[in-house]
């Protein structure tokens, strides 16, 4: 659970302070995943976050939002971008700790190196930005 983990209350009770606890279990051949905790100085709504993310990434062909809702991938997942030049980004609000938990996932063999080089060459040579990078991925859509 990215927010409200069942052990968070126990940790807070033991330490007598507020904590931000996120547990990861990772077993993967390729990919990278990051979780970041942001503590804004004022109130932020989910709508504010969606607006900010869409404003930043709506014209970026290699960024995909994966945040909230239901389904197989509620948050960015490395296996969902395996073999692609995509970066998935997402977030969750944690009102109990007044934080935003921000997630990202890439295929570090593609987006982290090879895909970055092809993308940069496309831009430098005036080619279509996405040329040679449209591969949909290695992970079957909808599979857990």
């Amino acid at each position: 659970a990215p927010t409200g983990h069942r052990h968070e209350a126990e940790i807070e009770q033991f330490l007598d302070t507020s904590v931000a606890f996120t547990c990861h279990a990772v077993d993967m051949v390729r990919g990278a995943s990051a979780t970041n905790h942001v503590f804004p100085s004022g109130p932020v709504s989910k709508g504010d976050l969606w607006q900010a993310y869409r404003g930043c990434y709506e014209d970026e062909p290699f960024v995909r939002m994966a945040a909230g809702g239901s389904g197989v991938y509620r948050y960015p997942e490395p296996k969902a971008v395996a073999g692609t030049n995509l970066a998935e980004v997402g977030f969750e609000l944690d009102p109990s700790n007044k934080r935003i938990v921000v997630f990202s996932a890439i295929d570090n063999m593609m987006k982290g190196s090879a895909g970055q080089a092809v993308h940069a060459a496309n831009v430098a040579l005036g080619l279509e930005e996405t040329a040679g990078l449209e591969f949909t991925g290695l992970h079957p859509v909808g599979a857990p």
Side-chain angles (χ1 to χ4, degrees):
T3 60
H5 191 278
R6 65 181 184 201
H7 296 308
E8 196 167 83
E10 297 166 4
I11 296 168
E12 287 180 339
Q13 182 179 4
F14 181 79
L15 296 177
D16 194 30
T17 189
S18 179
V19 300
F21 176 74
T22 303
C23 185
H24 290 272
V26 178
D27 180 20
M28 65 178 119
V29 174
R30 60 195 287 171
S33 179
T35 302
N36 302 281
H37 306 270
V38 180
F39 297 87
S41 58
V44 178
S45 72
K46 219 169 215 189
D48 294 335
L49 290 172
W50 275 108
Q51 184 176 3
Y53 272 81
R54 285 185 181 126
C56 286
Y57 297 122
E58 68 185 344
D59 295 328
E60 295 298 331
F62 298 116
V63 178
R64 178 167 64 196
M65 290 293 302
S70 60
V72 178
Y73 301 116
R74 293 183 52 188
Y75 305 108
E77 171 64 50
K79 66 183 166 187
V81 294
T84 76
N85 195 53
L86 290 170
E88 280 192 341
V89 294
F91 59 85
E92 183 64 69
L93 289 176
D94 182 5
S96 66
N97 281 313
K98 297 181 179 143
R99 69 179 169 152
I100 305 164
V101 183
V102 180
F103 307 97
S104 64
I106 64 168
D107 176 336
N108 61 319
M109 308 279 261
M110 216 16 219
K111 183 66 175 168
S113 55
Q116 291 277 77
V118 172
H119 189 183
N122 287 346
V123 172
L125 297 171
L127 301 172
E128 180 64 36
E129 187 175 357
T130 59
L133 297 170
E134 295 94 352
F135 186 66
T136 56
L138 302 171
H139 190 68
V141 176

